[in-house]
Each structure stands twice: as C-alpha cells, then as structure tokens.
C-alpha cells in the first residue's frame, strides 16, 4: 500500500545556548557536588550537539539540494538535534564508549576522582542519559551500569592551572567500526611514507566507510606513533573545535584539502549520495620508529558528542568548554 | 514521499523502489545481533514474523516503576551489515517483508529481497529522538534474557521515516554510491 503524502517538518532553531540546564537545588558535600557536576556534563554531552558542530552541520544541510534523500537525511538530523535537546534525551541511542579526559593541577587524587566518575556514570545510566552499553568481552554479560574492565575510559593529564577541567566524548560504535589504521607504504593505494601518502590513505578510509559511520563524518587523524598511541592521538583530535586552525601549516593545508576532496566523492549524508561526506578533518603527528609508519583515523559520526567543563572550588560547573 | 501501512505484504513492498522516501505506519519488531543469530541457529521465534518488518535497533527503554509500562526513549538504527550472514535466512524462513537499519547490506540479502519480496529501508542513523517520537506504543517484549537492547521489542509506529536503499528488484543504492564514488576516488588518489 503506497500513497503520496506531503512532507512536513516542524520549524525550530538549534543554535540557542544550553537553556534547560537544571539548577542544583540544595547544598551538597564536595563529593556529591562533583558527582552532580559530572552527571550534568554527561547529560549535556549525550543530549546536545556542541555549537561548533551544530553550525557546521547546518551549513552542510543548507548546501544539499532540496527534495533529495540527502536533504531528507539532513532535515531529520536537524529535527533530531532540536528534539534531543528539548527533551533532554540522548541524541543517539548508541551512547557509545564513555571517554573522559581529566586535566588537573598537581597533587590531585586521581583514584578518588575515578570513583566519582564511576558513580556519575551509573547515575547517568539510571537516568537514561546513557544506554546500558558496556559488555564483558569474555562472557557477553551486560552489567547494566556502564562499568566494567576499561569502562568508562578515563585519561588524566596534569596541567598548570588551578582548576580541574573535564572533557567527555561519547564515541559511537558504528563510526568506531569504520575507524581504521594504515601502515605506510601501502602498495595497493600507491601511498608512500610522506604527506601525499597520508592524504591517500585518509581519503581511502572515507571511501571505505561509505555511509556506515553515520556521515557526514568528522575525522581525527594521527600520523605516526606506535599502533596504540597513534589510535589514541587520532581520537584526541576530536577534542579540537571544528573551526580552529592547525598551528602546523602543512597539516592545516592537508586538513582542508582532505575535506574538500572527500566531499567530491559524492557519498553524502548516510551514504545516500550528496554533497557533504565530511564536515571536518583534524590532524596531529607523533614520532615513530624508523621501521613503522602508521596513520590512524578516528571517524566520528554526525552525532558528534563532546563537551567539557571547568569546575570551580566548590566543584560546581564554572564554564562550558564547547 | 510514500506511505507503507500495516498490514504489510510482499506485494506492497515490491512497489517500492530505491530512492523512495517512505513513512511507515504500523508494527515493527526490533532485532539485532543476538536475535539474528538465535533465529539463524534454527530456534523458533517467540513471535510470528510473517509479513512483518524487522528493525535493527537496540533501543533505550525505561520502565515506569508504578505502572510497569515500557517507553522507548531513544530508538535509532544500528549497523545492519553485522546481520549479513543471517539476514537472508531469516527473510526466507520467517517471511519478513522489510528490514530497517543503517549502512545497507550485502548481496546475499539483496538476493533474498528479490526472491522472497522484501525491502531494505534505511533509517537515519543517530536520529534516535525523531524515531522514538514515531513510536506510539510498546506492545511486547520477547527474549528479554538477551539484555534489553538485544531483545525483540514489538512496537507500533506512525509515520516512521525511512529511505528505500535496497529494493525487491535487485537494486541497491549502496552499490550505486559505492561504484560512483570509486570512480571519483580513482581520479583523486
Ligand atoms: S555511528 Fe553515531 S550516529 Fe550512528 S548509530 Fe553510532 S553513535 Fe549513533
């Protein structure tokens, strides 16, 4: 049974500031306050697209031709961004690998902070900001808490500021599955051990991903490093704002070139065909040993969930980083 | 924009073509990795799937503590290709007429779509809220032992938006886009 119906979409705007943040009602002890702040960080990360990403996505939306499957996809993406924020519900049901980056002053108690993060994660899961998404790789068991071996993923960095800064990325599984690592030289692609070779493998990765990573996608890339560091540093590039500029001119140029070239491939939103395949590419590098040359590519879906906060002395949220 | 309305049938889905934007109204059954493996292993489905649509989705669900009623708070599609080894058999043995997911599927599934009258409907990946809003009721929960995201959820939906990317005539938008992008790739590498 098929019949024609007109397409209709509600009008809305999405670039407004985070408006529905709940005020913290009562005075809490420092630990409880930290958990509360972390919970709010998780809520906002899971339910709201950062402004820089939203801006880029909306620009991409306006560039797709009307009445195509590509614009259909981008319109639904926009509605979804609006609705998730309005309802304070996860943008995507795959709330991903929960990855914390904690920047702290010297003399900070990392283990104690880890426990608070875990408590906040459990709470966020109970509240539905995170899906029960953590599975034991040996037994297949899902404890339903998002805690387990390696989960959540927490990385600490000491910095020279007095305050604690916490960044959070929720990295979905679909786009993680199309993330990849190349070893140069790659003879099938004719990619050598230079920036031209890097360019080739990154574009190849985007081609291979097609629509499977819920594009339009955003890339984090690391040139060099051992296999593990390379992959990790690629992922860390996702912390960069989309509108920043690489301080290394060669990489700044390459980032731009890769985005432009990938958008010529015509893969488009969701792989339906269309103009926007990639919304950004952020690159870094790490030293390697002479024998190896890895290029790691972390693919992030359009549901680019990253946020960050600075905590004040009372552990309440002082500023939002994105 | 086209509409596909319950009860579904192989005849109705054969009318759909690659590129059609479709709104589905009626019943959907979620099923992902655990369910597909289970059915493929020859286990009996706890619910009759003949002429039904299966949705590759692991929803976020909440149970109301007082009423015991379930609601779906997020319900976007999951990557379909993981079910490629199983899907064709599930279409053949269970009479499914539609598969909703994301990312598309392979040749085996495309062949099964043609032979048995089934379509692959691409939902917008990550659009969990828009899609959850289209769910009007949760009517059943089966195979709960697989964990809530992996269980079969019986849902009633209204105007659930999808794009036909593999039809019952052997056409696949995924193949088309892959081929055309491959040609362009050659010129830029
Ligand atoms: S790739 Fe991203 S948008 Fe797509 S289902 Fe996974 S988390 Fe969601």
């Amino acid at each position: 049974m098929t019949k024609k119906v007109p397409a209709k979409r509600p009008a809305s705007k999405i670039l407004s500031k985070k408006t529905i943040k709940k005020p913290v009602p009562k005075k809490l002890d420092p630990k409880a306050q930290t958990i509360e702040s972390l919970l709010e960080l998780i809520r906002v990360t899971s339910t709201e697209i950062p402004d820089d990403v939203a801006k880029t996505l909306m620009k991409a939306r306006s560039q797709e031709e009307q009445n195509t499957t590509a614009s259909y996809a981008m319109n639904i993406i926009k509605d979804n961004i609006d609705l998730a924020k309005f309802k304070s519900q996860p943008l995507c049901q795959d709330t991903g690998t929960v990855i914390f980056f904690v920047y702290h002053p010297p003399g900070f108690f990392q283990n104690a902070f880890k426990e608070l993060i875990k408590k906040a994660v459990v709470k966020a899961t109970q509240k539905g900001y995170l899906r029960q998404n953590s599975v034991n790789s040996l037994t297949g068991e899902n404890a339903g808490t998002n805690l387990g071996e390696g989960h959540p993923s927490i990385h600490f960095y000491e910095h020279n500021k007095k305050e604690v800064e916490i960044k959070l990325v929720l990295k979905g599984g679909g786009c993680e599955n199309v993330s990849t690592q190349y070893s140069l030289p790659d003879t099938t692609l004719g990619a050598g051990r230079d920036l031209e070779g890097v360019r080739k493998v990154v574009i190849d990765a985007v081609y291979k991903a097609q629509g499977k990573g819920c594009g339009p996608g955003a890339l984090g890339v690391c040139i060099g490093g051992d296999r593990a560091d390379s992959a990790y540093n690629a992922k860390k590039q996702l912390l960069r704002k989309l509108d920043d500029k690489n301080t290394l001119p060669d990489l700044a140029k390459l980032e731009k070139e890769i985005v432009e070239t990938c958008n010529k491939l015509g893969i488009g939103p969701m792989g339906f065909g269309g103009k926007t395949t990639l919304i950004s590419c952020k690159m870094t590098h790490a030293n390697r040993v002479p024998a190896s040359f890895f290029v790691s590519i972390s693919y992030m879906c359009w549901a680019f969930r990253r946020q960050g906060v600075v905590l004040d002395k009372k552990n309440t949220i002082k500023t939002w980083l994105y | 924009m086209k509409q596909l309305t319950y009860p579904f049938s192989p005849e109705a889905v054969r009318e759909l073509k690659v590129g059609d934007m479709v709104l589905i109204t009626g019943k959907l059954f979620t099923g992902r990795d655990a369910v597909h493996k289970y059915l493929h292993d020859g286990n009996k489905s706890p619910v009759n799937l003949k002429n039904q649509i299966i949705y590759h989705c692991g929803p976020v669900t909440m149970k109301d503590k007082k009423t015991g009623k379930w609601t779906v708070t997020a319900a976007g599609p999951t990557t379909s290709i993981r079910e490629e080894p199983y899907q064709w058999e599930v279409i053949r043995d269970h009479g499914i007429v539609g598969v909703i997911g994301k990312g598309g599927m392979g040749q085996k599934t495309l062949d099964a779509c043609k032979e048995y009258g089934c379509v692959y409907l691409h939902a917008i990946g990550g659009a969990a809220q828009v899609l959850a809003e289209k769910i009007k009721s949760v009517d059943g929960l089966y195979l709960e032992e697989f964990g809530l995201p992996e269980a079969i959820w019986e849902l009633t939906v209204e105007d659930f938006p999808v794009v036909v990317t593999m039809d019952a005539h052997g056409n696949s938008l995924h193949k088309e886009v892959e081929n055309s992008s491959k040609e362009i790739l050659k010129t830029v590498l």
Side-chain angles (χ1 to χ4, degrees):
Chain A
M1 268 180 256
T2 58
K3 74 171 197 266
K4 292 227 179 262
V5 291
K8 57 170 191 284
R9 290 181 348 89
S12 45
K13 45 175 203 301
I14 69 157
L15 286 174
S16 57
K17 276 284 160 199
K18 302 161 189 84
T19 45
I20 45 168
K21 238 167 265 157
K22 291 161 200 159
V24 182
K26 49 186 185 305
K27 257 207 146 174
L28 298 166
D29 70 65
K31 275 190 188 162
Q33 180 55 61
T34 307
I35 295 171
E36 227 19 70
S37 297
L38 288 167
L39 181 64
E40 179 63 359
L41 171 63
I42 299 170
R43 182 188 74 79
V44 173
T45 311
S46 176
T47 62
E48 297 181 21
I49 287 278
D51 285 352
D52 59 316
V53 179
K55 226 181 257 168
T56 313
L57 283 173
M58 288 315 107
K59 194 171 157 220
R61 171 174 168 263
S62 65
Q63 282 164 355
E64 292 295 345
E65 253 166 70
Q66 295 286 302
N67 300 319
T68 56
T69 47
S71 80
Y72 185 62
M74 291 309 291
N75 286 340
I76 292 177
I77 285 173
K78 179 185 181 297
D79 290 348
N80 194 70
I81 293 172
D82 292 347
L83 200 58
K85 180 174 177 166
F86 176 72
K87 290 173 73 177
S88 190
Q89 295 279 357
L91 277 151
C92 177
Q93 80 290 337
D94 182 1
T95 52
T97 304
V98 180
I99 314 169
F100 284 93
F101 303 86
V102 182
Y103 304 81
H104 61 79
F108 181 80
F109 296 104
Q110 294 187 351
N111 288 345
F113 200 78
K114 253 187 205 167
E115 294 312 309
L116 301 181
I117 288 182
K118 285 184 189 166
K119 286 200 173 127
V121 165
V122 172
K123 250 192 167 174
T125 312
Q126 286 162 352
K127 286 187 175 280
Y129 303 141
L130 298 175
R131 179 174 71 178
Q132 302 179 354
N133 215 27
S134 180
V135 177
N136 183 310
S137 299
L138 296 183
T139 63
E141 189 204 346
N142 186 335
T145 56
N146 279 315
L147 303 186
E149 205 54 52
H151 277 180
S153 169
I154 307 173
H155 306 273
F156 288 101
Y157 296 91
E158 190 175 296
H159 65 183
N160 293 328
K161 297 179 202 164
K162 287 208 182 78
E163 287 150 330
V164 178
E165 252 179 55
I166 306 142
K167 293 179 181 176
L168 172 60
V169 171
L170 301 178
K171 184 68 172 61
C175 55
E176 189 68 4
N177 290 346
V178 298
S179 296
T180 183
Q181 190 168 66
Y182 289 80
S183 177
L184 296 181
D186 185 312
T187 42
T188 45
L189 295 171
R193 289 182 155 192
D194 50 22
L195 286 186
E196 174 56 13
V198 171
R199 187 188 74 89
K200 285 184 178 175
V201 295
V202 175
I203 295 168
D204 185 62
V206 173
Y207 159 74
K208 287 218 173 86
Q210 292 286 311
K212 293 185 195 73
C214 289
L219 303 184
V221 176
C222 179
I223 305 165
D226 70 1
R227 282 197 188 271
D229 280 350
S230 189
Y232 175 67
N233 285 317
K235 192 165 275 168
K236 262 187 85 187
Q237 286 297 297
L238 300 173
L239 294 174
R240 281 173 57 193
K241 276 196 186 172
L242 298 196
D243 51 10
D244 76 354
K245 197 168 175 201
N246 203 314
T247 47
L248 297 173
D250 282 350
L251 290 189
K253 193 169 148 241
L254 191 56
E255 288 174 354
K256 196 161 166 266
E257 198 184 327
I258 286 173
V259 173
E260 282 168 10
T261 309
C262 286
N263 285 337
K264 285 185 195 144
L265 293 176
I267 295 166
M270 292 296 131
F272 291 165
K275 293 194 176 123
T276 313
T277 299
L278 210 58
I279 54 168
S280 94
C281 174
K282 300 290 176 192
M283 308 181 90
T284 187
H285 67 110
N287 277 22
R288 58 184 176 83
V289 295
S292 26
F293 197 134
F294 297 112
V295 180
S296 302
I297 295 136
S298 181
Y299 189 111
M300 180 60 114
C301 51
W302 72 259
F304 193 142
R305 286 153 295 171
R306 82 143 129 65
Q307 248 316 334
V309 290
V310 180
L311 297 186
D312 63 15
K313 278 195 203 113
K314 291 188 191 122
N315 300 326
T316 54
I317 294 171
K318 187 176 152 195
T319 32
W320 291 87
L321 294 170
Y322 298 100
Chain B
M1 196 73 64
K2 290 185 172 177
Q3 265 205 355
L4 183 64
T5 310
Y6 198 77
F8 312 122
S9 67
E11 296 71 44
V13 301
R14 279 193 197 277
E15 284 184 33
L16 299 173
K17 303 264 152 31
V18 154
D20 282 349
M21 297 172 241
V22 178
L23 298 174
I24 304 172
T25 297
K27 239 177 221 321
L28 304 179
F29 292 87
T30 68
R32 43 182 290 171
D33 310 59
V35 167
H36 280 81
K37 183 158 188 317
Y38 180 83
L39 295 178
H40 176 266
D41 287 351
N43 294 298
K44 202 173 168 291
S45 173
V47 54
N48 186 1
L49 294 172
K50 177 125 185 90
N51 289 341
Q52 302 294 350
I53 295 179
I54 209 155
Y55 179 21
H56 297 157
C57 168
V60 183
T61 47
M62 299 297 267
K63 193 178 191 169
D64 189 303
K65 282 204 183 92
K66 281 186 212 128
T67 63
K69 266 187 129 183
W70 288 99
T71 47
V72 175
T73 56
T78 186
T79 304
S80 298
I81 196 71
R82 292 197 306 270
E83 318 314 339
E84 181 64 11
Y86 316 123
Q87 197 69 64
W88 68 279
E89 249 183 3
V90 175
I91 293 171
R92 185 192 65 188
D93 298 345
H94 296 269
I96 288 160
V97 295
V99 175
I100 305 175
K102 72 168 175 101
M105 300 189 75
Q107 193 61 42
K108 264 189 180 173
T109 302
L110 190 61
D111 293 345
C113 282
K114 192 169 177 188
E115 191 162 349
Y116 306 110
C118 182
V119 281
Y120 180 82
L121 305 154
H122 201 301
I124 305 306
Q129 291 309 324
V130 166
L131 298 176
E133 271 236 319
K134 311 295 179 188
I135 296 171
K136 297 304 158 186
S137 61
V138 179
D139 308 328
L141 169 59
Y142 313 91
L143 299 174
E144 198 178 342
E145 60 271 25
F146 292 160
L148 294 179
E150 292 280 344
I152 296 182
W153 294 86
E154 182 179 346
L155 310 169
T156 297
V157 300
E158 207 179 290
D159 291 340
F160 190 93
V162 291
V163 173
V164 179
T165 57
M166 291 160 66
D167 63 23
H169 309 281
N171 304 309
S172 161
L173 181 66
H174 306 286
K175 262 208 244 165
E176 282 172 27
V177 172
E178 186 165 350
N179 289 340
S180 61
S181 58
K182 192 178 196 162
E183 288 310 307
I184 302 164
L185 183 76
K186 282 184 200 154
T187 67
V188 297
L189 280 198

